[in-house]
Every structure is written in C-alpha cells, then in structure tokens.
Amino acid sequence: MRLNGRFGRFGGCYVPEILVPALEQLEGAFLDAQDDPAFAAELNALLSGYAGRPTPLTQCRNLPSNIYLKREDLLHGGAHKTNQVLAQGLLARRMGKTRLIAETGAGQHGVATAIVGALLGFETIIYMGAEDVERQQLNVFRMQLMGATVIPVESGGRTLKDAINEALRDWSASFESTHYLLGTAAGPHPFPTMVREFQRIIGREAKAQMLEQVGRLPDAVVACVGGGSNAIGLFSDFIPDAGVRLIGVEAAGRGLDGAEHGATLIRGRPGILHGAETYLLQDAEGQVDDTWSVSAGLDYPAVGPEHAHLKDTGRADYVGATDAEALSAFKALAENEGILCAFESAHALAHALKIAEEEPQSVVLVGLSGRGDKDVAQAQQLIGPSA
Amino acid sequence: MSRYASMFQRLADKREAAFGAFLMLGDPNPAACAALLDAVVAGGADMVEVGIPFSDPVADGPVIQAAAQRALAAGVKVGDCFALIAGFRQRHPDVPVGILTYANLVMARGGFARDAAEAGADSLLIADVPSLEAEPYALQMAQAGIEPVLIAAANTPDDKIAWIASLSKAYTYCVSRAGITGTHSGGTFDGALPAKLHNAGAPPPVFGFGISTPEHVRAAIDAGAAGVICGSAIVDCAARGGDVEALVRTLKAATRNDSAAH
C-alpha cells in the first residue's frame, strides 16, 4: 500500500490475504486517477451534466430559519450515494473490470450502483439483506429496472452487515473481473479514504454556499451516520474550522438503553469488522450484535473508521435520534417545507431541530442526504393513512 | 521441537504428507464436538485445525458459516472452545492443534493468545489479518508461546511471500484458488506457490480450500504440499450424521500413496 490507511488507531486493511492485491490495485488506480486531469474532467462532467450538481442549499422557511439544508436529496438517484458511485464506476472502468458488486441497506447505494452499471455498461449484482429487501421493495424494483440483479442475503440478521459479508465473499472469488463498489466510507483501506474524497464535494459546495448565501460559516454541521459517508463528505472541508461543531447523529432506534438501536459510536467499543478497526456494537466476547433502526441505511453495527477517530479526538460529537424522533422530523419537514426526506436524513434533522430551538442564534447546516420516496410506504404504516 | 515440527519430521521420515482435519469448536454442541475431534484422530488425522465460531466469518463458505452458527446458537463461548482444546490436549498429547478464527474475537479477549497456548493449542491463524497487518499479532503470539500461521495465496506477490515466510511459524496455509472455504475445487493445485515459499525459507506449505476428495489430496501433494487441510467436507459429513472417521481414513490414505515420495 502507498498510503497508511489509518485514522489514529482506526482503519487498516483487515481482509483475507487473497483480497490484498485487489485492494492494492484499487488504491493504485485511485491515486493515479487523483493525479489525472482527464479523470477529474470526466467525473465533473458526469456530476454536473448527469447527476445534477451542485445541489442547492435551502434555508428553512417555516421550520426555524436558522436551519439550512444541503439538498443531496435532489441528486440524481435520490441520495448522496451517486457522487462516489460515479467516481468508483470510472475507476472500475480504468482497472478494466466488467462486473460490479455492491451491498445495500436501504437500497439507495444499490440504486446508485445500478445507475452507474447501466450508464457505464457493467454487469451489476447487488447484495441486500432479506429483511431489507422486504422493507424496501420499491428500491429493489428500481435496481431491477436498471438491469441489476438483486440477491437477498439470508444469513445473520439479514440486513446491511450480512450483505457486506456476502459481497466480500463474492469478491474473494471474483476480484479479477469484478470491482466491489463499497457504498460507504467504511471497510478496508483504501475505501474509507477514497469514498471520503469522492464525497468531499458535499461539504465543499455547502461551505461555499454558506459563505455566499449567509456570509458566514455555520455554528454546527449535522449529518446522520450509518456507515458514515454522507457525514464524512459534509464534515471534511469543515474539519479545519475549529469554530464549527461537527455532530453525527446515529440511530437510537427504540432507545439507547436497550439493544434495539444502531448507535455504534455511542454504545459500541473498538473492534475489527469488514476490514477496519473501528467502533462496533458487539457482545463481551466480540460477537457482532444485530442492530435496529427504522431506517435501513443506519441499521449497521460498525462505522467508518475516520468517525471513530473524530470521536476519540473530540473533533466531532456523536448523538442519537430515536425512531420516533426521526419520524417526527420527517413529518415536520414534509408539513412545513414540502420536502419528503429519507428516514436516515430525518435523524440529522431531528437533532438540528433541537439545536435550533435551544440556540436560536446558531446557524445549523444539515445534510439532507436523501429523499424519502423509498420510505413513503413504511411511513404510511407507521403514521397511518390519515396523518 | 514443536508438535508441528515433530509431526512434519516424523511424516517426512515415512514419506507421507500431513493430513489436517478441520472442525468448528462447539458444533453442534461441546460434547458432540469432543467426540468428533476424537473421531478425526482415530481416522488418522495428523493435525487438527479448529475454528472458534465468529458471527461474521467473511472467509468462509456456507458449510462452515452454518457450523459457526450452530455453535453460537448452542451458546458456545470462547472459553468453552479453549476447554475443548484443553480436553483434547489431555487425550492426545502429541497431535498438533491449530486455531483458525477472526480478528475481533482475538481483540475482544485480552490474553487470547496466552489462553489459547495454555489450553494446549500450537498455532493461531486469524483469517482477516493479512500479512500487512500481522506483525503486532505475531509478536503477541510469540510472547504467549503459540505459533502464528499466515496465509499465502496464488496471487500473493513475491515481496509479501518473503514477509509471510518470516512471520509464519508452524506451517504456511496455502490458498490455491480464489474464493472462500468450501468443497468447490478445480482439482488442480499450482506448484509455483510451494516452490516460492520453500525458496523464501517459509515453514511447510499446507494446502487448504477445496480439498474434499482423495484426488484433491493427491493433486495438492503432487504440487509440493507438505500437508493438506480438509474442512468443509468433514464438517458437512458430521452435520449429516455421516461417518467422519471413515471419511478421514479415506482422505488420509491418499497422503501415503507411494508417489508422495518424490
């Protein structure tokens, strides 16, 4: 490896030996592409002409007006995922791969991968926990419409963790022809670094937009954290600005006191899973826990290693929002602003609403990472048709 | 001399290769597992490789995943696994025992390597710690008195082969094909890997992944293996209630074929 792949003690490359050459090839392709103006030009053309960047920064009108929303929900595909998927798709083509595999939780990353598979002409296989397949039928069909094959994973808790296990197993056999298009800033090196760099555009745009529209930096930047790609993408350009608080919001599910949550950084402890040393929800012996969140995208017992480092160094704070709080924020945004956001993003908004109320003078930037179309059926069940 | 070194020496004198039998500790429960461990020795296994069940075994195929799930569902803890090893060690003082497991279990238990050594295990392979992350683990194991085993794969570059040769002690676990554990095999084993390991001064090359028939055993030995490890075929046989001892006897016989004596 050319980079060290560590964030303090966290990160690393904990994979079976057979996968190391594939990760070294990927790191090499990533670093070469970073130095290649033609790569940047093609990616930027796709991000603007195909995916719809830059995304707007929207000041709330009826919710507290000190809340600003970075609208990744308006990106093609319906979430921030498209940013880095386009970039990895181009990298896969550079490496001569013909097949893409990916894991997905809520289905947003699967949809984004299906998009790039269709656009750039890859055979595309999506591993998705069987539980998630059931609760995200619409996204499953979207992927299939774009030519991807969705494979339900029946092992473990049948969610995102198990989908990643299965994708890694596929890749162990297929790496010569196949790129594993990992969907978040987690996993073995170089994924956490590479995905952060490809998502950094969220924060770079937001920072410029804040300065232009508000004339100052925000006091707090708030993003939801499952694996952590939208949060690290939004945070990265603000990390050097010591006056800007960075707050990651994890899924507190049915409450942090029980076991039914996905609050890895709040309730977990360091361990090794899916290629990286990072915080994990696990039992005393090191068996990884099954998690719970109303939002499939936050239903994950590990987290990107850079977030573990940001937590331990104190540069970012990590808090929880419960299913009920997220659902309430989801409703509030719909009723007051006419925006249906993803359940994942609603966790960030729930916490931002608390800050906006407690600190009316603070300017709060919220990563609205995805749109809520995929969650409408579930919302109808949870809220009731007469909401 | 370590148990592994003695075993390889003894077999070399008889012009045989080593047969390693893999079982998942605690599958389907500790008592039945102890009986299976005895059965593979009765069938002629020269070395016993044991899994400690982990919730997320990314290097394993369906058969061994299911075995780990059965053990965990039976409530098996890491301490129960060490107790099974300690019991085996009392009954079989000379048979080398190697542990195959995953990094998070090692990290979660302070003194994992020491406890493994005290139970009587001879080696420890951590499936998701590749050579580039292995040094601190190898150091910890050396201090605890247990030998690290590293994996070398057909696609491992030469500079890493040298590094693996310097870190791996009891044997070198050779992965002859891409993919995860399981009975699938092309039945061909490339002789280039054992030759490279030999030239690098690595401990004896033992082939795993895809060894399920006497023909596979022969092919691996013909490619230069000092031994083979059979996992999924044995675990599957046990899960189906088959005759594990007879299966091991059949596979072990293939290590004694005269053509093994090159």
Side-chain angles (χ1 to χ4, degrees):
Chain A
M1 293 290 183
R2 285 151 67 183
L3 305 176
N4 96 347
R6 293 270 170 181
F7 308 91
R9 68 175 282 193
F10 299 104
C13 191
Y14 295 91
V15 294
E17 190 76 42
I18 191 111
L19 279 176
V20 173
L23 290 162
E24 290 187 328
Q25 181 193 25
L26 179 60
E27 188 204 49
F30 165 62
L31 292 173
D32 292 349
Q34 293 290 88
D35 292 337
D36 180 357
F39 180 85
E42 184 170 12
L43 178 57
N44 288 336
L46 284 174
L47 287 172
S48 60
Y50 179 75
R53 297 214 77 86
T55 58
L57 181 73
T58 302
Q59 182 179 16
C60 287
R61 284 173 176 252
N62 302 306
L63 290 175
S65 62
N66 54 339
I67 293 180
Y68 291 81
L69 308 170
K70 180 57 177 165
R71 302 290 307 279
E72 295 302 295
D73 61 312
L74 292 176
L75 197 66
H76 177 53
H80 73 290
K81 299 288 187 187
T82 307
N83 296 325
Q84 72 103 5
V85 163
L86 288 171
Q88 283 202 51
L90 294 178
L91 274 187
R93 200 183 61 192
R94 262 176 105 91
M95 291 186 288
K97 310 289 182 184
T98 57
R99 180 172 173 267
L100 299 178
I101 54 173
E103 82 295 340
T104 197
Q108 288 306 101
H109 176 58
V111 167
T113 304
I115 285 171
V116 79
L119 182 69
L120 299 180
F122 294 101
E123 179 192 358
T124 304
I125 309 290
I126 308 295
Y127 290 98
M128 187 169 186
E131 167 88 19
D132 293 334
V133 167
E134 286 157 22
R135 54 180 169 175
Q136 298 290 350
Q137 278 295 327
L138 199 57
N139 268 345
V140 171
F141 189 56
R142 280 202 183 99
M143 292 181 244
Q144 290 165 341
L145 280 174
M146 290 184 282
T149 302
V150 179
I151 301 182
V153 177
E154 297 285 353
S155 58
R158 305 157 82 235
T159 63
L160 179 56
K161 169 182 83 114
D162 313 292
I164 295 176
N165 289 341
E166 215 49 43
L168 283 167
R169 291 179 185 123
D170 181 314
W171 206 31
S172 297
S174 65
F175 52 81
E176 285 193 11
S177 69
T178 299
H179 175 57
Y180 179 16
L181 209 162
L182 198 121
T184 189
H189 176 71
F191 284 108
T193 298
M194 182 176 77
V195 174
R196 177 197 66 207
E197 289 309 304
F198 292 149
Q199 291 292 7
R200 182 186 283 276
I201 192 164
I202 305 171
R204 182 179 302 146
E205 278 179 14
K207 191 173 180 177
Q209 288 164 324
M210 289 296 306
L211 292 172
E212 190 186 317
Q213 294 178 31
V214 191
R216 55 170 289 202
L217 293 177
D219 297 293
V221 176
V222 185
C224 64
V225 179
S229 69
N230 104 85
I232 206 70
L234 186 60
F235 289 175
S236 285
D237 269 32
F238 291 102
I239 288 174
D241 302 306
V244 178
R245 280 144 59 202
L246 305 176
I247 303 167
V249 185
E250 296 193 301
R254 293 177 174 137
L256 289 174
D257 293 336
E260 292 175 301
H261 59 73
T264 306
L265 289 159
I266 302 169
R267 285 284 183 265
R269 64 173 205 278
I272 294 173
L273 182 70
H274 295 153
E277 181 168 351
T278 185
Y279 277 76
L280 288 186
L281 291 169
Q282 55 183 318
D283 71 11
E285 298 245 298
Q287 308 294 351
V288 181
D289 288 339
D290 288 327
T291 51
W292 166 262
S293 169
V294 69
S295 84
L298 304 183
D299 199 352
Y300 181 52
V303 65
E306 192 166 3
H307 287 294
H309 180 60
L310 290 173
K311 173 192 162 76
D312 276 17
T313 56
R315 180 61 191 95
D317 292 316
Y318 295 88
V319 300
T322 63
D323 289 353
E325 289 169 328
L327 205 60
S328 168
F330 171 85
K331 279 179 68 180
L333 190 68
E335 288 166 8
N336 292 288
E337 304 290 337
I339 298 170
L340 286 174
C341 72
F343 278 175
E344 290 77 12
S345 319
H347 286 72
L349 182 65
H351 189 72
L353 287 167
K354 285 186 199 172
I355 300 176
E357 189 179 329
E358 288 163 12
E359 309 170 22
Q361 305 308 316
S362 289
V363 172
V364 184
L365 170 64
V366 181
L368 211 68
S369 54
R371 70 178 181 223
D373 304 44
K374 70 183 174 58
D375 297 315
V376 167
Q378 201 185 353
Q380 191 178 24
Q381 283 179 357
L382 293 167
I383 299 168
S386 59
Chain B
M1 195 186 273
S2 73
R3 287 191 189 90
Y4 276 107
S6 307
M7 174 202 70
F8 283 120
Q9 184 63 59
R10 174 175 56 81
L11 292 172
D13 292 346
K14 294 199 290 181
R15 302 156 82 84
E16 278 179 36
F19 183 78
F22 172 90
L23 287 166
M24 182 62 68
L25 290 174
D27 170 36
N29 59 62
C33 179
L36 287 168
L37 289 166
D38 290 344
V40 299
V41 175
D46 301 297
M47 52 194 262
V48 175
E49 304 302 302
V50 291
I52 295 186
F54 178 50
S55 53
D56 294 85
V58 295
D60 286 307
V63 170
I64 297 187
Q65 284 177 51
Q69 278 306 311
R70 284 192 297 268
L72 291 173
V76 169
K77 305 288 185 196
V78 175
D80 300 324
C81 295
F82 289 145
L84 276 166
I85 293 171
F88 179 88
R89 180 50 71 226
Q90 285 196 328
R91 301 193 300 280
H92 308 281
D94 301 324
V95 178
V97 173
I99 294 173
L100 280 62
T101 194
Y102 289 85
N104 200 48
L105 298 187
V106 177
M107 188 172 162
R109 186 186 182 95
F112 186 102
R114 184 199 60 224
D115 291 349
E118 282 176 3
D122 300 284
S123 71
L124 175 55
L125 183 161
I126 311 175
D128 53 348
V129 174
S131 56
L132 60 86
E133 301 285 3
E135 193 171 20
Y137 290 86
L139 210 63
Q140 189 191 343
M141 291 181 213
Q143 286 166 353
I146 191 165
E147 295 185 300
V149 171
L150 274 76
I151 286 181
N155 65 344
T156 303
D158 289 353
D159 59 326
K160 285 210 176 58
I161 291 283
W163 179 235
I164 289 165
S166 72
L167 288 179
S168 200
K169 295 302 175 208
Y171 62 94
T172 313
Y173 193 117
C174 295
V175 175
S176 55
R177 58 155 170 81
I180 51 180
T181 61
T183 53
H184 159 79
S185 169
T188 57
F189 296 89
D190 187 354
L193 182 58
K196 279 198 277 188
L197 287 164
H198 179 76
N199 290 337
V206 172
F207 275 70
F209 285 34
I211 307 266
S212 61
T213 68
E215 291 71 33
H216 296 153
V217 174
R218 289 283 351 129
I221 294 167
D222 288 344
V228 295
I229 294 172
C230 173
S232 293
I234 292 173
V235 170
D236 190 45
C237 175
R240 292 165 186 276
D243 188 340
V244 167
E245 183 180 330
L247 173 63
V248 171
R249 185 169 291 116
T250 303
L251 294 168
K252 171 58 195 172
T255 70
R256 295 197 190 97
N257 189 308
D258 284 338
S259 67
H262 292 296

